[in-house]
Amino acid sequence: MNPDLQIWHPFTQEALDPPPIRITKAEGVYLYTDDGRKLIDGISSWWVNLHGHGHPAIVSAIAEQAAKVDHVLLAGFTHDAVENLRNGLRKILPASLEHIFFSDDGSTAVEVALKMAVQYWRNVGRPEKRSIVALEHAYHGDTVGAMSVGADSAFSDPFREMLFPVHRVHSAYCHRCPVGKERATCRIDCADKLERLLEEKQGEIAAVIVEPLLQGAGGMIVHPVEFLQRVRRVCSEGDVLLIADEVLTGFGRCGKMFACELANIVPDVMCLSKGLTGGVLPMGATACTGTIHEAFVSADRTRTFYHGHSYTGNPIAAAAGAASLRIFESEPVFDRINAIARIHCERLQAIRNHPAVGEVRSIGTMAAVELRADDAGYFSKLRPRLYKFFLDAGVLLRPLGNVVYVLPPYAITPQELHYVYDRIAESLDLCQD
Ligand code: PLP
């Protein structure tokens, strides 16, 4: 008996933050609270939900699957649910990504990618190629390997000593250009550092990991497509694997099924999660090329990829994933995505010259407003004021410090999205007090 057991809520500081809000129902874009309010879920509940909460096709797929096979290990076993999901993914993934490894969430999808890359080079007889290159402002998850490739931050600070070293190169953060250029005239000079690094040290580098075109937690930073194209090119020339972490960007968030499509590139390894199940159940996946997989196929068991989680390929999560992909086929999902993207452009244009605004940026269904602030960054004092302001106005938005962003479920209507923007427009005056 432990009557004192309490839930430890992520990211919350009991000494400072208000108590958690109790949600009793989630439907469409709305979250309903126990005190009778409804909130527009303007961030898809941490960037996961695609088609709106409680989509009937996903709900019934989950119920049917739970009654058939609830869970079974994937080592040495298989089931229809995971194969149906594989079949759905076959239709949308680039042809060269021939194998897919299932795990639990975004962080584990990244851990798998990193370990796969390092062991690949070992298996092909080049064990010295084991270091990883990552970008400034990167975020790839909260497990130790994923934190190591993420940028230094308050999140990773207490664990600095236990993180593995990585080579850090510039991000294409045009608003705060790391090499002091202007986008209109630059030649993607921010990628020079990566190019030089690969020229000098390719013999020891296993992979470069990027969030393609959109760095999320680092501040919703949108990269020019030319940056990603150049990263792809220098990785190919330098014989280094490219890992695209599409955990946030996958499944239409950036306007195409995968952000890599916008730059017309294919990575060697791709990490998926969040929208993989429609944002309803946890699941991660790491897709890789046939060449990478081939290096693990051997009569020699030391070449095996010894990585597996208890819930790998969970049938109920897989059924939700397959149902979500069918929704892309049966409903006009990309029309909704394009409608959101149009409203983002129109409304951002209208506020971009407001004195409180430093920069506006958008890609597909993500729109961000970087506010001017003396204390720019995650701990900006603007953040708690804005968070409360939006909640009081019936909108869940969680600014990343001084960056307010909108990343709604695709089911949001134009009226609902305009309502969110009207609140953002009002909030700008708050920022100038
Ligand atoms: N990679 C990216 C790009 C992410 O944005 C996130 C989470 O926000 C992760 C990985 C980690 O995913 P998870 O929180 O499911 O572990």
Side-chain angles (χ1 to χ4, degrees), residues 89-112:
L89 290 168
R90 265 186 184 160
K91 296 189 201 165
I92 58 171
L93 280 170
S96 60
L97 299 181
E98 294 176 9
H99 292 268
I100 188 150
F101 190 100
F102 288 99
S103 59
D104 293 350
D105 50 41
S107 302
T108 56
V110 168
E111 298 284 346
V112 167

Side-chain angles (χ1 to χ4, degrees), residues 150-422:
D152 289 344
S153 72
F155 291 26
S156 58
D157 231 25
F159 316 104
R160 189 173 289 178
E161 309 307 320
M162 62 194 282
L163 304 183
F164 61 74
V166 299
H167 297 283
R168 188 72 58 191
V169 294
H170 294 316
S171 142
Y173 190 177
C174 301
H175 181 53
R176 297 170 190 273
C177 176
V179 290
K181 302 276 171 164
E182 293 289 332
R183 177 64 198 106
T185 49
C186 86
R187 299 169 56 201
I188 312 291
D189 309 70
C190 52
D192 290 354
K193 188 171 172 188
L194 171 67
E195 191 160 342
R196 279 196 305 275
L197 178 71
L198 296 198
E199 275 164 16
E200 284 164 25
K201 301 215 155 113
Q202 57 162 282
E204 61 187 67
I205 293 172
V208 175
I209 183 165
V210 297
E211 292 158 270
L213 300 185
L214 174 62
Q215 291 186 295
M220 294 294 165
I221 300 164
V222 180
H223 296 167
V225 289
E226 294 84 355
F227 176 75
L228 182 57
Q229 288 165 340
R230 184 138 171 233
V231 172
R232 173 66 280 183
R233 186 165 50 75
V234 297
C235 286
S236 302
E237 288 168 3
D239 204 15
V240 160
L241 300 176
L242 174 61
I243 302 172
D245 175 355
E246 294 249 15
V247 166
L248 159 62
T249 51
F251 303 100
R253 284 287 175 207
C254 292
K256 292 270 188 198
M257 193 55 98
F258 300 108
C260 287
E261 286 173 40
L262 289 161
N264 217 0
I265 65 119
V266 178
D268 302 292
V269 181
M270 188 189 276
C271 306
L272 303 172
S273 186
K274 293 196 187 275
L276 173 60
T277 62
V280 176
L281 284 167
M283 178 174 247
T286 308
C288 71
T289 59
T291 311
I292 294 176
H293 177 261
E294 188 61 29
F296 290 80
V297 179
S298 168
D300 174 1
R301 283 197 184 275
T302 63
R303 286 200 184 197
T304 306
F305 191 47
Y306 285 113
H307 187 111
H309 298 280
S310 313
Y311 285 104
T312 289
N314 173 258
I316 303 174
S324 172
L325 292 180
R326 286 194 298 272
I327 293 169
F328 275 95
E329 292 175 358
S330 61
E331 296 185 18
V333 178
F334 275 95
D335 291 348
R336 293 174 190 152
I337 288 172
N338 293 335
I340 293 170
R342 272 196 303 276
I343 295 174
H344 280 339
C345 292
E346 176 195 319
R347 295 298 304 251
L348 290 181
Q349 184 61 29
I351 56 174
R352 69 182 321 145
N353 294 322
H354 188 286
V357 174
E359 197 201 31
V360 296
R361 39 189 186 255
S362 72
I363 180 167
T365 67
M366 192 295 300
V369 182
E370 180 165 336
L371 299 165
R372 294 184 197 280
D374 305 334
D375 60 349
Y378 191 75
F379 293 112
S380 170
K381 62 182 179 318
L382 286 175
R383 197 254 173 215
R385 287 169 68 193
L386 290 165
Y387 179 64
K388 181 171 183 313
F389 172 85
F390 293 128
L391 279 182
D392 290 347
V395 182
L396 168 55
L397 295 179
R398 278 178 65 96
L400 291 158
N402 58 314
V403 178
V404 175
Y405 69 93
V406 189
L407 187 97
Y410 307 153
I412 197 165
T413 63
Q415 293 94 307
E416 287 158 345
L417 190 52
H418 281 298
Y419 179 86
V420 173
Y421 272 106
D422 290 344

